[in-house]
Amino acid sequence: MTRVWKWNRPVTVREVLEDLRRERSIAYTTVMTVLDNLHQKGWVRREAEGRAYRYEAVSTRAAYAAALMNDAWSQSDNAAAALVAFFGMMSEEQRQALRAAIRIVQGPEPSQTVAETGVESSDETPPPTGGPDENPASAQGDAGR
């Protein structure tokens, strides 16, 4: 799968074989069998091209990794404990990536601007109109302090 994801386009057995042979000796039939098995499992789709097939990944590497994590998490009898243990194994760089991912999923804080987050919100609240007199706290003036 790594080789198929690497090219991010339909590939032939011959292309994968030539790439793998840069690192080790491997038979054409081995690569063909592995790609056929991946096709049977639904991980790649294939289209005939002459006497050969072109294979293409069904999902991205990120989607595959997410599905594996979700599957592992769903098999736990204590999801919170599993997450705590998983987060404890993370490097600081991985924790920062996790925080960034959570911010993306949750969307920007109401006080953050598009310039700060780089993300536009479709449900932005329009800014208040009028001056400071419309703010109930400021209507008290100095007496409220």
Side-chain angles (χ1 to χ4, degrees):
M1 280 306 301
T2 299
R3 305 299 166 142
V4 177
W5 283 321
K6 177 179 146 183
W7 281 303
N8 198 27
R9 64 169 174 78
V11 296
T12 63
V13 172
R14 178 74 51 202
E15 289 172 317
V16 175
L17 175 71
E18 290 172 5
D19 191 38
L20 288 169
R21 280 191 174 162
R22 293 180 193 153
E23 299 170 15
R24 65 177 194 233
S25 177
I26 189 167
Y28 181 92
T29 54
T30 301
V31 177
M32 184 176 63
T33 300
V34 169
L35 284 170
D36 185 58
N37 288 342
L38 291 171
H39 176 257
Q40 289 177 17
K41 290 179 179 185
W43 292 16
V44 296
R45 62 180 148 259
R46 68 183 181 193
E47 286 192 33
E49 184 176 280
R51 292 177 41 206
Y53 287 108
R54 283 206 172 266
Y55 294 87
E56 183 176 21
V58 171
S59 68
T60 64
R61 184 180 215 143
Y64 173 73
L68 283 176
M69 289 186 285
N70 187 56
D71 185 48
W73 185 39
S74 67
Q75 292 182 31
S76 172
D77 59 349
N78 186 337
L83 285 174
V84 168
F86 179 63
F87 297 154
M89 294 179 209
M90 292 177 145
S91 68
E92 183 54 35
E93 182 178 308
Q94 291 170 321
R95 285 189 201 101
Q96 289 174 1
L98 175 64
R99 287 184 199 103
I102 290 170
R103 283 193 298 272
I104 290 168
V105 170
Q106 289 178 336
E109 295 292 323
S111 62
Q112 290 180 316
T113 65
V114 172
E116 291 172 330
T117 63
V119 178
E120 288 189 44
S121 175
S122 60
D123 58 354
E124 288 184 23
T125 308
T129 57
D133 292 336
E134 290 189 16
N135 182 347
S138 65
Q140 296 175 357
D142 289 333
R145 292 187 190 142

